[in-house]
Amino acid sequence: MTDLPSIPSIDGPRLWTSIMDLARIGATQGGGVSRLALTDLDKEARCTFIKWAREAGCETRVDAIGNIFARRRGRSPDRPAILMGSHIDTQPGGGKFDGNYGVLAGLEIMRSLRDNNIETDADIEVVVWTNEEGSRFVPLMMGSGVFSGVCSLSDALSARDSEGVSVGEELTRIGFAGDGHVPHAVDSYFEAHIEQGPVLERTERTIGVVVGALGQRWFDCTVTGFESHAGPTPMTHRRDALQAASILIQRVVELAKSFAPNARGTVGQVAVHPNSRNVIPGRVHFSVDLRAEDEETLDSMASSLCETIETIKQNQSILIDLVEVSRVPAMRFDADCVALVDRSAREAGYDPLEIVSGAGHDAINLAKVAPSAMIFIPCEGGVSHNEIEHAEPDHVTAGANVLMRCICHRAGIVGVANPSH
Ligand SMILES: [Zn+2]
């Protein structure tokens, strides 16, 4: 019996060139990419991916929501496939790396396995998920949502953009309305992505092992006082809604800081009535966005906020109404897959950092149907969803090598393929 080949390294410069080549499709003046889901530019990028995937020896297939699957056959067709991927749609002023990196890192793994004639036991597959960004069509993470049953196919197909054009119409127009929406068996899913935050850069780490994603609770808060003249009304006789609201707004931020490092508290919208400089504000509406890595922390943050509200109500004749309007549970990725990312990073010579994702990703949907994990690499200044988004070539290569190890460990290298096919 011959020795099995070892896990190959990916070709970093080739991966970098592919990222730059794909970024030409929808390139912006400011060095970014504007390639909204299901536009002509998205079609061009999709066709480019399919061409590259076929050249790398993959079979390609498109499902009913336009997700593209590029499969490299393994020796054991009965085993479920190991999936990797991300998205290639962007924000209107997006960057070259968000999403594109995960897809092209997967493609580079296909190319490197082919170059080295390596045969895996299980099939492996690169997936391009439709409309991750949600900029043109809501809901976001649509393709992975349909695949994992978070969103129904009919709801997704009937979603319309601001011009009234539906997802179904656009998929047909660009030639990506595939057949079939019964998800195939998945062994596991791995997604490489730029961090989109500053933690890896600040801690000088190359690889982030993503252990989970922050849960979110969104609230609408209405504070009702009494409008009256800013001059004749003494300070002792006021029911100032904005003054009470400002205490709560401070409290939201303090709460998040008291559950450092992974809690977040944001008030991003404030409306003051009547919003006149010489009228004591009678009513204030504001939004509250609380995020944390587990439900217990979110419960504590929400109940602390309610305690502050009760205190204000007791001390002042003010009405305060807090209504929860949205809830996304905190999630943890599969422990075995997370451990595999950690082990693969260490094998590749890195000292990885455990990190929690603050943003949504297709992997969060996939985690509902298959063991999943993510690999983060740093991005400059933590900036993303911006034309200046940048990742270092060395980091791009590093993340793809960690992904290669995860895929090979999970799929199993069984031999050297016959170079003739
Ligand atoms: Zn993304």
Side-chain angles (χ1 to χ4, degrees):
M1 195 172 157
T2 54
D3 285 346
L4 293 177
S6 54
I7 296 172
S9 294
I10 62 106
D11 182 336
R14 178 170 60 189
L15 170 56
W16 184 263
T17 300
S18 293
I19 293 171
M20 294 305 129
D21 286 349
L22 199 65
R24 289 207 185 92
I25 305 170
T28 59
Q29 295 263 312
V33 181
S34 184
R35 197 167 62 224
L36 271 62
L38 311 183
T39 56
D40 288 347
L41 290 169
D42 188 19
K43 173 186 181 176
E44 194 182 334
R46 286 163 168 269
C47 292
T48 301
F49 170 79
I50 287 174
K51 177 172 167 286
W52 288 346
R54 288 183 180 158
E55 286 166 1
C58 299
E59 301 162 16
T60 61
R61 184 175 70 76
V62 177
D63 75 4
I65 192 63
N67 296 321
I68 306 167
F69 301 87
R71 182 170 288 225
R72 186 175 194 270
R73 293 283 170 195
R75 188 177 289 178
S76 299
D78 294 340
R79 277 188 64 184
I82 288 88
L83 269 56
M84 52 188 164
S86 196
H87 59 96
I88 58 172
D89 67 315
T90 77
Q91 290 286 331
K96 302 182 188 82
F97 299 90
D98 179 2
N100 299 290
Y101 172 54
V103 168
L104 296 173
L107 177 73
E108 175 54 38
I109 283 158
M110 299 299 201
R111 288 169 167 169
S112 293
L113 291 175
R114 185 179 165 94
D115 289 350
N116 290 278
N117 298 315
I118 286 174
E119 187 178 20
T120 55
D121 188 46
D123 290 1
I124 59 178
E125 206 165 56
V126 186
V127 193
V128 176
W129 302 110
T130 294
N131 182 35
E132 191 273 348
E133 294 289 358
S135 177
R136 183 179 176 201
F137 297 104
V138 177
L140 76 173
M141 309 194 307
M142 182 182 273
S144 58
V146 170
F147 185 84
S148 51
V150 174
C151 159
S152 81
L153 176 65
S154 58
D155 284 355
L157 291 175
S158 57
R160 291 181 188 275
D161 69 5
S162 57
E163 311 285 296
V165 183
S166 75
V167 167
E169 288 158 4
E170 285 295 77
L171 279 172
T172 302
R173 186 184 67 79
I174 68 168
F176 277 85
D179 49 6
H181 64 280
V182 180
H184 52 279
V186 178
D187 169 88
S188 50
Y189 175 73
F190 294 89
E191 181 166 348
H193 207 284
I194 55 168
E195 181 200 336
Q196 305 183 286
V199 176
L200 290 174
E201 189 179 76
R202 294 216 177 136
T203 53
E204 297 183 353
R205 306 293 182 99
T206 303
I207 299 294
V209 178
V210 188
V211 294
L214 297 180
Q216 302 177 29
R217 304 244 178 118
W218 288 2
F219 302 87
D220 281 343
C221 189
T222 306
V223 181
T224 310
F226 192 78
E227 282 162 38
S228 61
H229 198 301
T233 317
M235 297 311 286
T236 48
H237 288 68
R238 292 177 176 223
R239 292 161 62 199
D240 184 336
L242 182 56
Q243 196 273 334
S246 66
I247 296 171
L248 288 172
I249 293 169
Q250 293 300 322
R251 185 72 188 133
V252 166
V253 174
E254 284 165 13
L255 273 172
K257 286 182 178 167
S258 72
F259 290 98
N262 286 329
R264 317 268 190 263
T266 306
V267 173
Q269 284 180 328
V270 180
V272 180
H273 299 275
N275 206 27
S276 171
R277 72 169 68 223
N278 57 351
V279 180
I280 297 161
R283 201 170 70 253
V284 178
H285 294 288
F286 62 95
S287 60
V288 177
D289 176 326
L290 301 179
R291 303 187 189 213
E293 63 188 304
D294 55 63
E295 294 299 303
E296 300 78 64
T297 306
L298 285 166
D299 288 342
S300 305
M301 292 170 81
S303 61
S304 295
L305 191 62
C306 289
E307 281 166 24
T308 307
I309 287 173
E310 286 311 313
T311 308
I312 295 170
K313 279 161 67 174
Q314 276 165 22
N315 296 340
Q316 307 177 31
S317 299
I318 298 257
L319 295 174
I320 303 172
D321 189 33
L322 185 74
V323 180
E324 186 178 310
V325 292
S326 173
R327 180 182 281 224
V328 178
M331 66 84 65
R332 305 292 283 183
F333 284 117
D334 177 77
D336 289 343
C337 288
V338 169
L340 182 57
V341 172
D342 184 83
R343 173 186 152 202
S344 297
R346 291 178 196 282
E347 281 175 4
Y350 301 102
D351 178 22
L353 182 74
E354 282 199 355
I355 195 165
V356 181
S357 176
H361 291 290
D362 292 310
I364 295 169
N365 278 340
L366 264 289
K368 295 191 164 66
V369 291
S372 300
M374 294 189 76
I375 302 159
F376 274 177
I377 60 163
C379 57
E380 193 175 285
V383 176
S384 181
H385 285 188
N386 190 311
E387 291 171 290
I388 63 166
E389 182 184 278
H390 178 72
E392 286 302 315
D394 284 354
H395 297 162
V396 164
T397 301
N401 274 323
V402 175
L403 181 64
M404 169 69 101
R405 290 188 161 273
C406 291
I407 298 299
C408 288
H409 284 308
R410 196 88 189 183
I413 290 180
V414 287
V416 177
N418 181 349
S420 68
H421 67 247

